[in-house]
Amino acid sequence: MCDQTFLVNVFGSCDKCFKQRALRPVFKKSQQLSYCSTCTEIMATEGLHENETLASLKSEAESLKGKLEEERAKLHDVELHQVAERVEALGQFVMKTRRTLKGHGNKVLCMDWCKDKRRIVSSSQEHAVTMPCTWVMACAYAPSGCAIACGGLDNKCSVYPLTFDKNENMAAKKKSVAMHTNYLSACSFTNSDMQILTASGDGTCALWDVESGQLLQSFHGHGADVLCLDLAPSETGNTFVSGGCDKKAMVWDMRSGQCVQAFETHESDINSVRYYPSGDAFASGSDDATCRLYDLRADREVAIYSKESIIFGASSVDFSLSGRLLFAGYNDYTINVWDVLKGSRVSILFGHENRVSTLRVSPDGTAFCSGSWDHTLRVRGMVFRFPVCERREDG
Amino acid sequence: MERVVVSMQDPDQGVKMRSQRLLVTVIPHAVTGSDVVQWLAQKFCVSEEEALHLGTVLVQHGYIYPLRDPRSLMLRPDETPYRFQTPYFWTSTLWPAAELDYAIYLAKKNIRKRGTLVDYEKDCYDRLHKKINHAWDLVLMQAREQLRAAKQRRKGDRLVIACQEQTYWLVNRPPPGAPNVLEQGPGRGSCAASRVLMTKGADFYKREIEYFRKALGRTRVKSSVCLEAYLSFCGQRGPHDPLVSGCLPSNPWISDNDAYWVMNAPTVAAPTKLRVERWGFSFRELLEDPMGRAHFMDFLGKEFSGENLSFWEACEELRYGTQAQVPTLVDAVYEQFLAPGAARWVNIDSRTMEQTLERLRQPHRYVLDDAQLHIYMLMKKDSYPRFLKSDMYKGLLAEAGIPLETKRRVFPFTWRPRHSSPSPALLPTPVEPTAACGPGGGDGVA
């Protein structure tokens, strides 16, 4: 004779489907519920699904990642420097510092050009517009030239309308726009004065409405601090790229908040990202002492700009107007100028006495400005270019 | 950095080492500054200036120290002797340089020879004395012990150890005015962000899987096609890039002459030839330039399709405008462009129109995106090519002139412009920044 277990059957309405059935007790998170047999079975398989497949989810993700790499590699039929062989080499550049701006009392951390091509806003460890925190790590000029935005360790991005009236206290008119839960690392206006895109150490980017301070869209996906961002110069103006401490560069759709593409080939924090002028690619500078070019249509990294003698990280990158030159500022106080197509270094510029923290080419491409921890900003232009007649081993 | 330093010490391929005679003592394994620079230049195929810079950086971080005059960390490319720092003192070991150790070091210096402490060191010494007064006996005792132990070593070793220590402290407690190479920016990778994703639970992987699936599904373009695109883009824009090809009449930053900016102001009577050429590169370039857009609007007016551009502009205003204005703007756009019988009705295909009207019930800033894209493509594929072939554009192109280069007084030689100009003759008296145009042009200066 088998042991007979007696089950007490309770009839009633199931807590899940509300149908009148025979019920059995079920414990969910130490709460007792009464489910009918069908619902119990469903719940049992669900729970099982949860626990047992965490490992299989992980392996599935990894195998998909491998497949993605394979797919990307399939269409890679030629390297950039091979294609660029038939392009004329650039020769030697002579670039001279034409302006040295010495107003800051401390390290210059960030700068931006005004669209009028002549004015610059820069931020430093002690800010000219009095702010409560010490490190102001991000600043941006509004497209109209009438306002600037900045932020840093105060976790906020504030917009200041610009006035040339010395009597007006700029700090009084400041408007606090963005609120993050960690430091602000980068900010940029979109096509107008009324929207700001921010990146933060809390791992997210966000789009804000300046007037109301309302959060319009947030972008989650980075696994660590986001250090930089850049808006795409595309016709439809809908995407931007961000780089972070998780070594990933991610391309986002501003409308939906989704990550459209991601690239993870750097070996360390990505300090700076900048779009190629056509909008089909972007460059990134990282603490692993390399700059890399990623193509969006081919969906892969297409070039690495590195040299054995460069052992310090790149803090800031920007393209010249045609996209032929890539300027990169490094933590060893130098600026290296790369030939984007050939992958070689065109020039190395000295002059700063501490690390170069920020670098931007002017909107009309006539000059570029670099800011450094040595408290100065230097504006440099191209003075002369020797056409190619003798090839040096330099790069 | 360590990689470089280790390879420098390689007995076969490293920097030539020799025994250095310093006063009376002989120090083995010393290198000269110039040798270091030469070796770096050769190994990395760089110029001497860069090799010197790299060497200086190594010295500043304390990986190489000078045997003579270890007061300042500089690399002199001459016969000055240097040695490689022992790994014990390497900055990457990240031992926090403790106050106590520094106090002991300063005390040793003080005891050994009174008056060798430099000003800032004296200040530090006094401050530390106040700060760790309770442990001062310990400090002095340790200092004396270390000095006594050192006396039992050979003079050569003593000198080396003293230099090593001095360099270590110069790096970790830099004198005022010298850059602090150990300084880092504000902390990154803070726990907040890492805590968020510490638990890589099922959700995280599910999202990853979804992302990868979508990514696998996207269409990719062959590398060769993409890379060729760069070549043509750079080739096309090269002459327009001031940093690559220079600009005419002159780069305002270099010559301190504003003429270039005046001639290329957003709205100017006679745009330059380069600028008009750019309008032909892409529709986006045309629209981004206010003058180009204005001319295009004129052209559209002649074709009775000006409302397309106006509609596009209104949509842009909606997309990038203030949140508060969204409802009013949407209404305005509807009234003017989309409503049946509207004053400036735009011709959108019926399906898009239906969808848009449906969505207009719940207006948000992206509600007109589809309609905007449709009109944009219409203009781009239809009106824009006709514009480029039109007499209007051809006329603008013919009228636009190439400014002559202004002779620069700074340099003795003249710089040949990369962009060929019709009359390369330089102006005889370059007092005013005259921007005289080439044949057939009007005055460039407003």
Side-chain angles (χ1 to χ4, degrees):
Chain A
M1 285 290 283
C2 55
D3 276 339
Q4 286 183 321
T5 40
F6 290 92
L7 200 63
V8 174
N9 268 357
V10 178
F11 278 94
S13 93
C14 166
D15 280 335
K16 189 161 181 190
C17 62
F18 305 112
K19 296 201 178 127
Q20 291 289 331
R21 296 257 168 88
L23 302 175
R24 46 172 57 154
V26 145
F27 288 95
K28 206 172 185 184
K29 290 197 169 84
S30 58
Q31 192 198 6
Q32 180 172 1
L33 301 163
S34 302
Y35 279 7
C36 67
S37 47
T38 3
C39 292
T40 321
E41 275 206 38
I42 294 172
M43 197 203 83
T45 46
E46 253 180 68
L48 205 62
H49 201 72
E50 257 322 321
N51 284 331
E52 95 178 359
T53 55
L54 189 62
S56 65
L57 277 179
K58 182 171 177 179
S59 62
E60 190 183 345
E62 256 150 47
S63 81
L64 280 175
K65 186 172 180 179
K67 270 202 210 132
L68 183 61
E69 290 309 315
E70 267 177 45
E71 283 296 312
R72 281 175 167 173
K74 269 187 204 163
L75 288 174
H76 187 60
D77 48 352
V78 72
E79 294 287 335
L80 181 54
H81 62 85
Q82 290 170 304
V83 175
E85 257 159 39
R86 62 173 207 267
V87 177
E88 195 187 294
L90 286 173
Q92 299 270 45
F93 278 79
V94 173
M95 304 220 188
K96 289 254 189 292
T97 305
R98 297 299 299 170
R99 298 276 187 286
T100 308
L101 309 171
K102 289 188 184 162
H104 279 289
N106 213 318
K107 309 183 179 58
V108 176
L109 300 172
C110 182
M111 60 137 305
D112 191 16
W113 288 87
C114 175
K115 290 249 162 39
D116 73 356
K117 314 148 200 167
R118 296 186 236 198
R119 286 187 289 165
I120 294 175
V121 65
S122 60
S123 69
S124 82
Q125 212 175 357
E126 291 156 17
H127 204 219
V129 177
T130 40
M131 287 190 72
C133 75
T134 49
W135 290 79
V136 180
M137 291 145 59
C139 65
Y141 232 118
S144 67
C146 300
I148 55 163
C150 52
L153 285 181
D154 58 351
N155 299 2
K156 292 197 280 218
C157 183
S158 313
V159 176
Y160 295 81
L162 285 178
T163 164
F164 290 106
D165 180 358
K166 290 199 181 100
N167 296 328
E168 276 211 67
N169 182 5
M170 266 176 71
K173 291 232 170 130
K174 122 180 157 175
K175 197 198 302 245
S176 212
V177 173
M179 274 299 301
H180 278 279
T181 51
N182 209 329
Y183 65 89
L184 194 87
S185 54
C187 66
S188 171
F189 283 90
T190 61
N191 277 10
S192 75
D193 282 12
M194 289 174 276
Q195 286 183 338
I196 283 194
L197 194 57
T198 57
S200 163
D202 64 8
T204 66
C205 301
L207 183 66
W208 309 84
D209 177 61
V210 173
E211 194 63 46
S212 60
Q214 189 189 353
L215 173 66
L216 298 173
Q217 183 65 260
S218 71
F219 307 90
H220 295 259
H222 272 287
D225 307 16
V226 186
L227 295 177
C228 50
L229 59 83
D230 190 32
L231 283 150
S234 83
E235 297 179 299
T236 41
N238 267 338
T239 59
F240 72 96
V241 62
S242 65
C245 287
D246 57 352
K247 312 177 202 165
K248 277 206 246 181
M250 300 175 89
V251 181
W252 306 88
D253 176 357
M254 283 209 281
R255 274 191 57 174
S256 61
Q258 294 297 319
C259 168
V260 173
Q261 280 172 288
F263 303 91
E264 198 173 350
T265 59
H266 268 293
E267 292 159 21
S268 185
D269 303 355
I270 298 182
N271 294 317
S272 171
V273 286
R274 192 73 60 203
Y275 268 96
Y276 185 76
S278 72
D280 287 331
F282 68 90
S284 58
S286 155
D287 274 346
D288 65 3
T290 65
C291 297
R292 292 173 202 237
L293 186 69
Y294 296 93
D295 188 294
L296 295 172
R297 295 187 299 167
D299 194 28
R300 57 176 295 122
E301 170 195 294
V302 290
I304 305 183
Y305 305 102
S306 69
K307 209 168 184 313
E308 257 196 5
S309 60
I310 301 178
I311 47 184
F312 282 80
S315 62
S316 182
V317 297
D318 203 357
F319 283 100
S320 72
L321 220 55
S322 64
R324 183 71 195 269
L325 296 176
L326 177 68
F327 296 93
Y330 289 78
N331 290 341
D332 66 353
Y333 322 169
T334 63
I335 297 172
N336 287 291
V337 185
W338 300 91
D339 180 337
V340 171
L341 300 179
K342 294 203 178 266
S344 57
R345 186 182 61 186
V346 162
S347 181
I348 177 168
L349 305 167
F350 300 97
H352 277 296
E353 288 153 24
N354 206 324
R355 53 165 95 174
V356 178
S357 52
T358 171
L359 190 155
R360 296 292 283 267
V361 172
S362 75
D364 63 352
T366 47
F368 67 97
C369 180
S370 56
S372 156
W373 281 15
D374 67 0
H375 312 188
T376 66
L377 290 141
R378 279 168 198 257
V379 180
R380 283 177 231 242
M382 199 263 297
V383 171
F384 198 93
R385 178 150 77 91
F386 295 90
V388 179
C389 44
E390 27 118 35
R391 268 295 189 89
R392 278 187 56 172
E393 263 305 290
D394 191 7
Chain B
M1 274 189 283
E2 270 137 35
R3 203 174 18 97
V4 177
V5 169
V6 164
S7 64
M8 280 171 93
Q9 294 182 44
D10 186 289
D12 300 318
Q13 304 212 315
V15 190
K16 208 171 14 138
M17 298 211 217
R18 56 177 87 126
S19 297
Q20 179 66 39
R21 189 167 273 277
L22 200 65
L23 302 176
V24 227
T25 42
V26 175
I27 316 276
H29 302 305
V31 295
T32 59
S34 54
D35 278 346
V36 168
V37 174
Q38 291 296 331
W39 187 88
L40 284 171
Q42 211 186 10
K43 173 123 204 288
F44 296 128
C45 307
V46 294
S47 66
E48 278 209 17
E49 193 185 5
E50 195 184 341
L52 179 61
H53 175 82
L54 185 56
T56 311
V57 160
L58 288 174
V59 173
Q60 279 176 340
H61 279 79
Y63 285 91
I64 304 179
Y65 59 91
L67 282 173
R68 249 183 255 145
D69 182 23
R71 285 261 170 91
S72 61
L73 295 173
M74 289 219 26
L75 182 69
R76 268 184 258 274
D78 51 21
E79 296 300 304
T80 326
Y82 290 87
R83 267 185 115 242
F84 294 98
Q85 179 70 291
T86 162
Y88 180 81
F89 278 140
W90 280 359
T91 47
S92 56
T93 51
L94 290 175
W95 285 2
E99 298 284 351
L100 197 63
D101 291 325
Y102 193 45
I104 295 174
Y105 166 72
L106 288 176
K108 266 200 298 185
K109 251 187 140 183
N110 208 11
I111 295 171
R112 198 167 3 139
K113 227 198 285 179
R114 295 232 169 245
T116 41
L117 287 182
V118 190
D119 284 333
Y120 79 93
E121 284 178 333
K122 276 202 209 98
D123 288 335
C124 291
Y125 188 70
D126 293 332
R127 244 184 311 125
L128 283 169
H129 190 107
K130 264 186 240 145
K131 214 165 144 187
I132 42 179
N133 207 358
H134 51 282
W136 205 247
D137 291 335
L138 174 67
V139 167
L140 288 176
M141 189 184 71
Q142 278 289 312
R144 281 196 207 100
E145 278 296 315
Q146 288 187 6
L147 279 173
R148 201 159 48 79
K151 275 205 176 59
Q152 295 178 347
R153 290 217 177 85
R154 274 191 354 229
K155 186 145 190 231
D157 288 340
R158 227 185 313 150
L159 189 68
V160 160
I161 292 174
C163 286
Q164 284 177 345
E165 230 188 345
Q166 180 135 14
T167 305
Y168 177 75
W169 287 113
L170 269 175
V171 172
N172 281 288
R173 294 277 186 276
N180 183 354
V181 292
L182 295 180
E183 200 169 4
Q184 295 294 320
R188 293 179 178 180
S190 51
C191 27
S194 46
R195 238 186 292 140
V196 167
L197 276 157
M198 197 83 85
T199 47
K200 285 197 176 177
D203 282 334
F204 172 76
Y205 284 117
K206 280 194 187 134
R207 263 187 290 136
E208 289 253 306
I209 290 171
E210 200 191 315
Y211 164 74
F212 284 131
R213 286 227 173 89
K214 252 196 273 177
L216 276 167
R218 77 179 316 175
T219 43
R220 274 175 205 83
V221 181
K222 263 201 301 192
S223 288
S224 48
V225 174
C226 302
L227 300 177
E228 286 290 334
Y230 297 156
L231 255 60
S232 56
F233 186 87
C234 285
Q236 194 188 44
R237 310 287 167 132
H240 298 251
D241 185 347
L243 285 166
V244 172
S245 315
C247 52
L248 299 169
S250 62
N251 188 324
W253 294 101
I254 305 292
S255 63
D256 292 326
N257 177 345
D258 272 5
Y260 179 77
W261 282 333
V262 171
M263 279 194 280
N264 285 294
T267 41
V268 86
T272 61
K273 199 172 197 97
L274 279 179
R275 188 168 171 184
V276 181
E277 268 175 23
R278 276 203 288 275
W279 298 344
F281 287 166
S282 78
F283 190 39
R284 178 162 63 92
E285 285 271 4
L286 177 67
L287 286 184
E288 271 175 12
D289 186 339
M291 281 227 68
R293 200 192 280 204
H295 283 296
F296 187 61
M297 182 63 105
D298 283 343
F299 173 75
L300 287 179
K302 294 205 178 104
E303 296 205 329
F304 304 106
S305 48
E307 67 273 0
N308 286 345
L309 187 56
S310 304
F311 175 67
W312 182 84
E313 286 179 341
C315 290
E316 286 284 285
E317 212 186 307
L318 172 67
R319 272 217 295 185
Y320 296 114
T322 341
Q323 188 66 6
Q325 279 192 310
V326 165
T328 34
L329 276 174
V330 170
D331 282 340
V333 169
Y334 175 73
E335 289 300 314
Q336 225 190 355
F337 297 101
L338 296 172
R344 310 190 70 189
W345 192 77
V346 281
N347 195 355
I348 311 176
D349 71 288
S350 49
R351 202 171 71 117
T352 318
M353 181 66 99
E354 249 179 67
Q355 281 174 354
T356 310
L357 291 177
E358 179 67 37
R359 268 186 259 138
L360 276 175
R361 298 219 191 125
Q362 285 164 330
H364 58 90
R365 65 175 61 232
Y366 298 117
V367 78
L368 295 171
D369 267 12
D370 284 347
Q372 185 184 7
L373 188 62
H374 179 90
I375 293 291
Y376 184 84
M377 284 303 172
L378 192 68
M379 288 194 289
K380 178 175 170 182
K381 300 223 161 92
D382 194 31
S383 317
Y384 176 60
R386 277 209 301 273
F387 172 71
L388 292 182
K389 293 199 199 109
S390 71
D391 291 330
M392 184 196 259
Y393 180 67
K394 291 200 177 125
L396 285 168
L397 206 52
E399 269 175 28
I402 305 167
L404 291 176
E405 186 201 359
T406 52
K407 179 175 179 177
R408 273 177 327 166
R409 286 171 284 191
V410 189
F411 292 95
F413 47 82
T414 52
W415 167 71
R416 221 174 307 119
R418 298 287 296 180
H419 188 102
S420 59
S421 85
S423 51
L426 298 161
L427 303 168
T429 47
V431 178
E432 263 101 33
T434 47
C437 291
D443 236 37
V445 184

